Every structure is written in structure tokens, then in C-alpha cells.
Amino acid sequence: MTPTPQWLNGPLENRGGKLYFDGVSAEELAEAFDTPLYVISESRIRDNYTRLCNALTRNYEKIRVYYAAKANSNLAVLNILEKEGAYLDAVSPGEVFMALTTGFPPSRILFTGTSVRNDELRFLADSNITVNFDSLSQLDRLLKIKVPTVLSVRVNPEIGAGHHNHCITAGKNTKFGLWETDAVKAYKTAKAAGVERFGIHMHVGSGVLDVDPFVLALDKLLNVAKKVHDELGVSFEFVDMGGGIGVPYKPEDNELDLALFSEKVLALFKRRVKEYDLGEPFFCVEPGRYLVCDASILLTRVNTVKVTPFKRFAGVDAGFNTLVRPTMYGSYHHVLVANKLDAPDEETYDVAGPVCESGDLLAKDRRLPKIQEGDLLAVLNAGAYGYAMSSQYNARPRAAEVLVKDGKCAVTRERERLDALVSGQRVAE
Ligand code: LLP
């Protein structure tokens, strides 16, 4: 199969029918580090970050890009983005810990959690990072522990979007954010307690390829900001429109037009900020997927080819324990036969993992070159919510991760060994 040119963008390269990723041969990587293997391109992460920053600063100078660490919290990835000067969006004390371990200063970390425990609030307060509140209860409980100098409130902008119901995080049916009246109450409570500096936040959802939902929701968010400003005299240091910028997964998907996104979103932002007299707040975004998704592939080896009266299965060594998105959301991930890029698509396959469930399919009904046992498949766009959502289900140790750059590579996470399966466990007497 000759991959469509769009798959040969960025780190993917076809050299004589063989897949190379950021200058390194996929077959050599699989040989050296075994499979399943996540391969991460350093250059692609840097390029994605720079492209986004440039697109935004073209329309507004005061911007901050918070990397949503939940997409991929490999320390090497965090380290690259820290060096680039990114800020970080953390969803758990664990992510805060990892960010601090990487070297992110507390002032560059924003915590946005939901259903947060008191001991977690204490940890956040002690870490001196900025907390973005998701409920009035969370705010009340934190204020009893410590009055922070700066805080932010996650507003439900009433408009949600996303690639799957599970990933729409605003609107009527979601647990996230505060509705307008409660948001105003939250700022009132915080101000009365002595908080002096504020931000305001929203997140519509994940995997959004249209600009309109962002614009509509941002308009609502700024409307709430105006209300808070007018009623309480609160001014905002930052306005955070959350993450959610989608990437194309299917060959026919279009990219989100970043220039248009920046232009439309920031035109509205600047207009409303002026109209509502909101000063000169930083404009923040929280991309996870956009920065890391196409910067990683998953390499998996074919163990078995099985033909039934109805189906042709390519059985590989990565399952939904390794990459859960196809099973969990029905997500499409493009698959290439890494050692046969120039071969014609001859057969239709389901690519199945080793997990003992029928839903364990990485790809369904895919036209691919004739697959033989021992072939190497590359699952594309595996960098966001890939390793991060992997598990040891069926008692399978997790995969390894390798970072590649300009033809060189380094292991950034060792493959788990069998002893990882029993670590921390005890048989009760
Ligand atoms: N900010 C907040 C508050 C979020 O909840 C999220 C994602 C992000 C930023 C980053 O969103 P992104 O730019 O990556 O779309 N596991 C799902 C995605 C769940 C995203 C949850 N929140 C998936 O594999 O598609």
C-alpha cells in the first residue's frame, strides 16, 4: 500500500517501501526494542508547539499554551514542552507531581480537577500552583485550608463539542464546570475571602475540528467574565479557553484550519475584552492532542493471520490494553504495514489484539497489503491518550516508549517486565 501523501507529513517517511519515523527505521526500532512499542518524535512535538504559538501570537501577543498532560505524561514529553516554555494543565496531584519533577515551576502549572479530595487540595495548596475550581464545595474546602493569591473558575459555557459523547465536557449533561449563577457566587466567595488575582476557564470537549463551537462558547465565557467584572469589580489576569483542538485521524478528515481558528477566536476575544472593559488578560489554550497525537506511532508485530468464513484477522501483539481508543470510543487509527508501504492493498482485515474480548480490535475492515505473520504494523496518531490510557488488563505488562530525533533514538520508558504485574501485591495471611 502506498500511504496517501497526508500520512507522509511530519515524521513519517517512505524509504523504499519501508516506514521511517523521524529518520529512524520502524523495523530497526521493533528489532531493537521489541513490540508493542510507542515511538515518539521529538521534532514533531516541537513543531506542533511552535506552529500553534505562532498562529496565536499572530493575532494577540499575550498568550499562554498550557499542555494538557493527560494526553501523554511521559517525562521526556513533559521535558520537551517545559524547555519550549509551555505551561501545563494538570488534572490530578499525580500530574502536578510529574510536572514539578520535570522542572515546571509552580507558576506555570494550572490544576483543573473534578471531584477533588481534601488531602489533594492540601497538596495543591502546599505546591503553590494555581487551582481552577470545578465546584463551589471544592472552593469552600480549599479556602478553609489556605486562601490562595490567585485562582480561577471553570465555567460551563453551555456549548459542548467533541468526537464522542464521553469527550463532550460542556453543556447540559456534563459534570464539569459551574453554571453562570454559581460561577458568580464562586468569585464572590473567593473575593470576600481575600483572593486578589483571578482567571476564568472553560473546556468545550475534545477532538473538535470546527472553529464555531470554540467561538460560541468563548463568547459565553466572556459574557460570564463581564458579569463577574461588573458585579464584583473582579478583573482577570487570564482567560483560558481550554483544549480540544482536533487532529485528522481518517485520511478523509480535514485539519482544523489553525489560522482561521486563531483569527476568529482572537477577533472575538479582543472585541469583547475591549467592549466589556476587561483589561489585557492573557489568552490561554490547553491543547493535549494537538501537540502530541501525530508525534507518536505504535509499532505492533503480526503474530497470526486467521481466515474465517466471514473475516480475515491480523492478530497483533498490541490490544486495547495498549491502545484503548478504538474499543472505548470506536476511534479510527490509520494502520500501515510498515515493511510493505509500496505493496498494493489486496485484502480486508480486522486488526485484532491479544485481549480476551471480541471488542479488542485496533482497526476494522481495513484494506491493507497482504499481511503475513512477522509483518510489522504501525498504528498512526497514537501519541495522545495512547500509552496514557493503557493498562495491564489480562496481566499484560505495559509497552515500552522510545523517543526519536533526526535518526537517533533513546528509550524513555522501559517495557514493563512480568514482575510489574505483582509489584505491590500481597497474599493475605
Ligand atoms: N483541558 C481540559 C480541562 C480537559 O479536560 C482536556 C481533556 C484538555 C484540556 C485537553 O483536551 P485535548 O486538547 O487533548 O482535546 N481520552 C479521550 C480524550 C479525553 C480528553 C479529556 N479532557 C480521547 O482519547 O479522545
Side-chain angles (χ1 to χ4, degrees):
M1 164 180 178
T2 311
T4 48
Q6 99 182 79
W7 300 116
L8 290 177
N9 280 339
L12 294 163
E13 239 187 298
N14 179 348
R15 290 196 196 164
K18 312 277 189 189
L19 182 69
Y20 277 67
F21 195 64
D22 209 339
V24 186
S25 145
E27 278 180 301
E28 280 171 27
L29 285 166
E31 214 38 65
F33 304 109
D34 207 352
T35 53
L37 182 72
Y38 277 97
V39 188
I40 308 169
S41 157
E42 172 165 347
S43 327
R44 187 63 176 183
I45 296 177
R46 291 190 193 277
D47 289 352
N48 289 344
Y49 179 79
T50 308
R51 193 182 323 109
L52 181 60
C53 289
N54 288 345
L56 294 173
T57 43
R58 214 162 286 139
N59 292 301
Y60 191 64
E61 265 184 19
K62 289 178 73 178
I63 66 140
R64 285 179 186 166
V65 174
Y66 286 80
Y67 169 55
K70 58 178 83 67
N72 188 328
S73 54
N74 180 302
L75 282 183
V77 172
L78 298 183
N79 186 55
I80 292 166
L81 287 162
E82 194 281 316
K83 296 279 180 307
E84 285 289 334
Y87 287 66
L88 186 129
D89 159 40
V91 74
S92 65
E95 284 184 0
V96 172
F97 167 78
M98 293 189 72
L100 292 170
T101 306
T102 306
F104 278 91
S107 57
R108 276 205 265 151
I109 304 174
L110 177 69
F111 173 90
T112 300
T114 185
S115 193
V116 186
R117 292 159 48 117
N118 286 347
D119 58 340
E120 294 176 329
L121 289 171
R122 186 171 296 280
F123 169 81
L124 299 169
D126 290 346
S127 307
N128 280 321
I129 59 145
T130 308
V131 178
N132 185 32
F133 288 88
D134 186 59
S135 74
L136 289 171
S137 132
Q138 189 190 338
L139 175 62
D140 289 341
R141 289 183 289 120
L142 181 94
L143 290 175
K144 282 188 195 132
I145 296 168
K146 181 179 174 184
V147 177
T149 47
V150 50
L151 68 70
S152 165
V153 172
R154 177 174 184 165
V155 172
N156 184 334
E158 301 175 29
I159 289 140
H163 70 84
H164 185 277
N165 262 344
H166 294 354
C167 302
I168 299 174
T169 51
K172 279 189 195 147
N173 296 317
T174 158
K175 65 179 175 177
F176 298 104
L178 279 90
W179 288 72
E180 183 172 318
T181 320
D182 279 350
V184 177
K185 264 190 214 159
Y187 286 105
K188 197 171 180 185
T189 307
K191 196 172 177 213
V195 180
E196 285 163 4
R197 295 162 46 206
F198 297 92
I200 190 164
H201 172 276
M202 70 172 196
H203 174 65
V204 293
S206 197
V208 185
L209 287 165
D210 297 330
V211 178
D212 290 351
F214 292 114
V215 175
L216 291 171
L218 181 65
D219 206 8
K220 174 71 196 176
L221 182 75
L222 291 168
N223 210 271
V224 176
K226 171 187 173 6
K227 205 160 184 194
V228 173
H229 176 71
D230 291 352
E231 286 182 21
L232 308 170
V234 159
S235 42
F236 294 99
E237 269 186 33
F238 64 89
V239 174
D240 184 339
M241 70 163 292
I245 300 176
V247 299
Y249 283 88
K250 293 184 185 153
E252 66 270 23
D253 284 347
N254 289 319
E255 276 182 45
L256 177 124
D257 184 338
L258 206 56
L260 185 76
F261 168 85
S262 166
E263 209 180 288
K264 278 194 159 184
V265 159
L266 285 165
L268 175 88
F269 176 77
K270 287 186 288 190
R271 194 165 72 240
R272 293 288 187 248
V273 160
K274 196 163 174 215
E275 191 181 328
Y276 300 160
D277 198 17
L278 295 176
E280 269 188 29
F282 278 93
F283 177 80
C284 312
V285 287
E286 294 176 347
R289 193 184 315 266
Y290 185 80
L291 297 184
V292 292
C293 189
D294 65 3
S296 179
I297 57 174
L298 169 64
L299 295 178
T300 180
R301 188 75 77 183
V302 178
N303 298 320
T304 166
V305 176
K306 185 185 210 174
V307 183
T308 76
F310 300 98
K311 287 265 175 194
R312 188 176 295 271
F313 291 99
V316 296
D317 59 10
F320 78 68
N321 55 317
T322 323
L323 177 70
V324 77
R325 301 190 73 258
T327 304
M328 191 150 173
Y329 312 117
S331 298
Y332 179 100
H333 282 261
H334 203 64
V335 172
L336 301 174
V337 183
N339 53 319
K340 294 179 177 170
L341 291 186
D342 290 338
D345 293 338
E346 278 185 294
E347 306 275 14
T348 302
Y349 292 93
D350 278 6
V351 179
V355 173
C356 198
E357 292 197 28
S358 292
D360 183 30
L361 299 175
L362 292 178
K364 261 190 215 172
D365 297 326
R366 286 299 163 82
R367 293 293 291 170
L368 291 168
K370 201 169 172 49
I371 291 179
Q372 282 150 328
E373 290 170 14
D375 280 346
L376 183 67
L377 304 192
V379 182
L380 307 190
N381 281 320
Y385 309 104
Y387 190 97
M389 292 178 79
S390 66
S391 73
Q392 292 178 337
Y393 184 46
N394 277 198
R396 291 194 174 274
R398 287 190 186 81
E401 289 183 296
V402 172
L403 188 73
V404 290
K405 191 189 171 198
D406 301 335
K408 291 196 221 89
C409 60
V411 175
T412 56
R413 181 162 356 218
E414 285 177 16
R415 183 174 303 287
E416 283 184 351
R417 291 182 315 225
L418 286 175
D419 57 10
L421 301 175
V422 289
S423 132
Q425 297 200 50
R426 265 174 217 98
V427 178
E429 303 234 328

